[in-house]
């Protein structure tokens, strides 16, 4: 049994990873719930966020500016994708959208290689959080604590937006029944574009804050996609609460898997997923399957 | 019917005789196309006929490939090349299918995807599977009395297996079993109401498709002489899906056409430019947007062929 401070440090690592997954899976789950699209290119938004952040930090030297601007850029890209590529496909079978977003992965990954090159680029943490602090005997990079606090703050903000505003109630109605919501006089197409762009922007945000922890490299999007999809399966498709709880579970499973089962760490999150699917096929907070 | 059989035999003869008038590289390309063709056809049985869109078909390709690599290294022979890989892949399909067919649609896509990644995780980390490097130096054994180390024998063996796989699938989709699968695709609850044990049919289809994917994986290992964790990677499944879509779902033959188009496009574009992924990605996007029926669909529309 490892010492208590080590356990605590592991738990914090897991929490910061979980927070990144949450920002990513919110978009995935909302886009799925509302648009019925499994967006395989969601990991690409994460990658684009990291690289946009890299360039913005390199040119302006200001991490905080990048934190705001990079998600806006990625959100804009998301809006363009939704209008130009996905909208013509809504009336087709879901597979077409899956394949289209699969094509987008190739496109974005190669574009990033073209623009930024294929090697790993490290992104510096902001000066304010470049040191480390000791919490309960564990030494933790202060940037990780920032990621945790910031991410949890974003989780609260997203929750307030979805659950407590008029816009949020339109989005929830759209997730429940998009066609009916349109029938009630809401311009549902604009909401679709908005939700897609919002999800993309959160994915981009996740990429920016992941930068100083994981660096930026072109396949990063494809490799984060699977854990994010697992979060959505575990939490339940279309559920915000599920996305949060699922992220925290998968974040811990991943980190403790690495610490305790070094030979089979990658297996851990799949075992968690399999167990949950076996017990509750719809996920922890998903609507029961027909 | 006769015309189709004749066309099939002509194509088969042409594929078998290809090494007589083509160089080494085109022959390897053809062999790759045929292997991916079987893989894509087995996926088409699920997608195009049973209506089960699996994004985890790489699991069975990989299991077939790895079992062939392990078995052929230890006991080179017929059993290792022909029997064990499809059996192991079928077993894997039975387990994954058992869990996955409980859900459908997008959930099925995501579950199969996650299961196949689980195999990737194991292969990537297990020392006895060579971890990241995979298994290399797999010999081409003597199978059913034919020495596959000889290139032409290997080619004929590959063409024969692919042809058998295609004929088998063709029989399956035209059998009563195949018609039930198509019925499930059309209207699952009605088939249930009429009294078919829908889940048992779906599971059997999943296992058959898995076994054939295992055959493809084993052939791939024997072609290349090695297998790496990438065989399990979800992009392998995605590429097979693209092949089926490019060719036209629910046509079997389309899957092979799609495999051909994909592999030729990839080798053509990558020989001209480093940016092949970009061009490939764009091509797929345009295909999905503007040619939803795939190559076969476009041909039918043009020439007025019937289904």
């Amino acid at each position: 049994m490892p010492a208590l401070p080590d356990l605590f440090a592991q738990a914090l690592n897991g929490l910061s990873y979980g927070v990144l997954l949450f920002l990513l899976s919110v978009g995935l789950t909302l886009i799925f719930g509302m648009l019925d699209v499994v967006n395989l290119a969601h990991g690409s938004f994460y990658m684009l966020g990291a690289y946009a952040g890299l360039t913005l930090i390199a040119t302006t030297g200001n991490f905080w500016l990048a934190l705001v601007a990079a998600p806006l850029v990625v959100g804009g890209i998301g809006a363009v994708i939704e209008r130009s590529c996905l909208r013509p496909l809504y009336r087709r079978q879901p597979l077409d959208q899956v394949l289209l977003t699969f094509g987008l992965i190739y496109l974005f990954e190669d574009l990033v290689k073209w623009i930024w090159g294929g090697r790993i680029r490290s992104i510096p943490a902001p000066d304010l959080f470049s040191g480390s602090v000791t919490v309960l005997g564990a030494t933790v990079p202060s940037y990780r604590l920032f990621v945790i606090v910031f991410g949890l703050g974003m989780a609260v903000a997203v929750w307030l937006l979805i659950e407590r505003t008029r816009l949020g109630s339109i989005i929830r109605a759209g997730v429940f029944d998009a066609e009916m919501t349109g029938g009630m006089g809401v311009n549902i197409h604009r909401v679709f574009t908005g939700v897609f762009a919002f999800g993309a922007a959160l994915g981009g945000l996740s990429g920016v804050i992941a930068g100083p922890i994981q660096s930026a490299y072109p396949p990063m999007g494809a490799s984060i996609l699977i854990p994010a999809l697992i979060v959505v399966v575990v939490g339940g498709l279309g559920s915000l609460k599920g996305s949060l709880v699922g992220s925290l579970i998968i974040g811990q499973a991943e980190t403790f898997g690495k610490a305790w089962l070094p030979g089979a760490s990658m297996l851990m999150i799949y075992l968690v997923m399999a167990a949950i699917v076996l017990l509750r096929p719809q996920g922890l907070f998903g609507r029961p399957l027909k | 019917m006769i015309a189709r059989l004749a066309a099939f035999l002509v194509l088969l003869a042409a594929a078998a005789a290809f090494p007589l008038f083509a160089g080494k590289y085109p022959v390897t390309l053809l062999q790759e196309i045929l292997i991916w063709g079987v893989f894509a056809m087995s996926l088409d049985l699920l997608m195009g006929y049973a209506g089960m869109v699996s994004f985890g078909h790489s699991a069975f390709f990989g299991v077939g490939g790895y079992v062939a690599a392990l078995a052929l290294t230890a006991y080179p022979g017929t059993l290792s090349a022909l029997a064990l890989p499809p059996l192991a892949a079928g077993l894997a399909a039975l387990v994954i299918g058992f869990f996955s067919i409980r859900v459908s649609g997008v959930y099925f896509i995501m579950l199969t995807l996650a299961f196949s990644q689980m195999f990737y995780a194991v292969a990537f980390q297990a020392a006895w599977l060579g971890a990241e490097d995979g298994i290399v130096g797999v010999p081409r054994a003597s199978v059913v009395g034919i020495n596959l180390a000889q290139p032409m024998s290997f080619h004929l063996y590959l063409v024969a297996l692919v042809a058998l796989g295609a004929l088998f699938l063709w029989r399956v989709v035209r059998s009563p079993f195949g018609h039930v699968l198509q019925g499930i695709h059309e209207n699952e609850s009605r088939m249930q109401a009429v009294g078919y044990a829908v889940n048992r049919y779906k599971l059997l289809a999943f296992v058959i498709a898995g076994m054939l994917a295992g055959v493809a994986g084993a052939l791939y290992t024997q072609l290349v002489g090695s297998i790496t964790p990438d065989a399990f990677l979800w992009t392998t499944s995605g590429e097979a899906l693209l092949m089926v879509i490019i060719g036209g779902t629910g046509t079997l033959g389309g899957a092979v056409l799609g495999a051909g188009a994909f592999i030729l496009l990839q080798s053509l574009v990558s020989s001209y430019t480093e940016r092949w992924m970009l061009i490939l990605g764009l091509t797929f996007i345009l295909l999905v947007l503007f040619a939803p029926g795939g190559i076969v669909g476009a041909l039918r529309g043009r020439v007025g062929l019937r289904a």
Side-chain angles (χ1 to χ4, degrees):
Chain A
M1 201 62 189
L4 211 55
D6 285 349
L7 271 185
F8 186 66
Q10 290 295 347
L12 282 182
N13 278 351
L15 197 55
S16 66
Y17 182 57
V19 157
L20 291 181
L21 282 178
F22 169 71
L23 289 177
L24 208 57
S25 60
V26 171
L28 211 50
T29 209
L30 281 182
I31 289 170
F32 172 76
M34 190 162 203
L35 285 66
D36 267 331
V37 171
V38 179
N39 178 23
L40 293 180
H42 209 65
S44 303
F45 295 142
Y46 175 79
M47 170 190 70
L48 289 172
Y51 277 96
L54 176 82
T55 295
L56 283 164
I57 294 169
T59 48
T60 65
N62 189 337
F63 177 85
W64 307 107
L65 181 80
L67 191 66
V68 178
L72 291 178
V73 172
V74 178
I77 295 172
V80 171
I81 298 278
E82 196 277 339
R83 301 270 325 230
S84 61
C85 297
L86 283 169
R87 188 168 291 183
L89 297 185
Y90 287 139
R91 297 210 167 270
R92 298 242 209 108
Q93 49 165 346
L95 180 65
D96 282 358
Q97 297 140 14
V98 172
L99 285 172
L100 183 112
T101 57
F102 188 68
L104 287 173
I105 295 181
Y106 278 74
L107 184 78
F108 282 129
E109 192 170 321
D110 216 29
L111 272 179
V112 163
K113 274 189 199 152
W114 202 356
I115 300 173
W116 284 279
R119 57 201 176 80
I120 295 185
R121 305 278 295 265
S122 63
I123 297 173
D127 291 337
L128 191 57
F129 297 108
S130 57
S132 55
V133 284
T134 306
V135 194
L136 297 180
T139 308
V140 191
S142 56
Y143 183 72
R144 281 199 186 245
L145 293 182
F146 159 74
V147 168
I148 292 170
V149 173
F150 179 77
L152 292 178
M154 282 305 295
V156 173
V158 171
W159 184 81
L160 284 174
L161 173 74
I162 303 278
E163 299 288 335
R164 290 283 181 272
T165 65
R166 187 177 147 68
L167 182 64
S169 71
I170 292 175
I171 292 175
R172 275 180 294 135
V175 168
F176 194 77
D177 188 339
E179 203 169 326
M180 183 59 94
T181 311
M184 304 298 282
V186 172
N187 183 345
I188 199 73
H189 279 300
R190 199 180 296 164
V191 181
F192 278 5
T193 311
V195 165
F196 197 87
F198 178 61
L202 283 179
L205 180 66
S206 184
V208 182
I209 60 174
I213 299 178
Q214 310 198 330
S215 304
Y217 53 99
M220 68 190 290
S223 56
I224 195 88
L225 176 71
I226 302 293
L229 282 176
I230 289 177
V231 164
V232 174
V233 170
V234 164
L237 289 171
S239 162
L240 192 62
K241 206 197 291 173
S243 185
L244 180 62
V245 175
S247 307
L248 298 180
I249 293 176
I250 294 300
Q252 295 301 336
E254 168 89 11
T255 327
F256 278 94
K258 269 188 189 144
W260 290 353
L261 297 166
S265 61
M266 287 163 74
L267 202 56
M268 196 70 177
I269 56 175
Y270 299 105
L271 292 179
V272 172
M273 182 200 72
I276 286 179
V277 166
L278 202 57
L279 299 172
R280 271 181 79 85
Q282 74 270 36
L284 293 175
F285 298 97
R287 262 184 265 161
L289 302 167
K290 40 126 190 124
Chain B
M1 173 67 210
I2 304 264
R4 280 196 182 191
L5 197 64
F8 178 73
L9 289 175
V10 169
L11 281 177
L12 192 62
F18 194 62
L20 298 178
F21 46 83
K24 198 162 178 295
Y25 181 64
V27 170
T28 311
L29 270 186
L30 175 69
Q31 291 172 338
E32 266 185 48
I33 290 171
L34 290 174
I35 290 172
W36 279 88
V38 176
F39 184 43
M41 270 194 290
S42 71
L43 182 60
D44 193 23
L45 172 70
L46 291 180
M47 282 170 63
Y49 293 89
M52 304 156 74
V53 179
S54 165
F55 217 114
H57 215 47
S58 63
F60 315 121
F61 186 85
V63 167
Y66 267 93
V67 168
L70 287 172
L72 282 170
T73 311
Y75 313 101
T78 308
L79 199 67
S80 304
L82 282 178
L84 292 179
L87 281 180
L91 191 66
L94 189 66
V95 176
I96 295 182
F98 176 78
F99 291 115
S100 308
I101 58 166
R102 295 147 55 111
V103 295
S104 57
V106 177
Y107 238 95
F108 184 77
I109 293 180
M110 302 202 2
L111 260 187
T112 47
L113 174 66
F115 272 116
S116 68
Q117 281 296 113
M118 193 157 146
F119 281 85
Y120 175 75
V122 172
F124 195 84
Q125 289 192 315
W128 60 284
L129 294 175
E132 303 182 50
D133 302 325
I135 300 173
V136 293
V138 181
R140 282 187 194 170
S142 229
V143 177
V144 286
I146 310 162
N147 179 16
L148 298 184
Q150 212 274 323
M152 190 62 192
S153 320
F154 179 74
H155 180 74
L156 293 177
Y157 163 79
L158 192 151
V159 171
L161 272 186
V162 170
L164 283 177
L167 281 175
F168 172 69
L169 280 175
W170 189 73
R171 265 312 290 148
V172 167
V173 299
R174 268 158 192 79
S175 68
F177 171 72
H179 289 290
V180 174
L181 289 186
Q182 289 166 61
I184 294 172
H185 189 178
E186 293 294 325
N187 191 334
E188 184 166 338
S189 31
R190 177 174 290 183
M191 292 304 276
Q192 187 100 50
V194 171
Y196 286 102
V198 165
N199 277 353
R200 229 177 284 166
Y201 279 89
K202 285 165 91 172
L203 188 57
L204 185 56
F206 201 74
V207 171
I208 292 175
M211 290 178 82
L212 271 164
V215 171
L219 281 174
Y220 183 77
T221 299
Q222 292 171 80
L223 172 66
V224 189
S226 64
I227 186 88
T228 63
D230 280 0
F232 283 118
L233 204 57
W234 62 285
T235 46
T236 302
S237 306
E239 282 165 8
L241 273 168
L242 280 175
M243 289 172 186
V244 175
I245 299 285
I246 295 173
T249 41
T251 59
L252 289 187
V256 183
L257 276 180
F262 186 100
I263 289 169
L264 289 180
L265 188 70
Q266 192 175 21
S267 80
L268 191 75
V269 176
S270 63
S271 67
Y272 282 107
T273 161
E274 214 183 312
R275 297 271 75 88
W276 63 272
M277 269 177 74
L278 189 114
I279 293 172
L280 226 53
L282 264 178
T283 313
F284 299 149
I285 292 168
L286 295 176
L287 271 174
V288 173
L289 281 174
F290 300 112
I295 298 174
V296 172
L299 285 178
R300 276 183 188 148
R302 234 1 89 68
V303 193
L305 284 173
R306 282 183 307 115

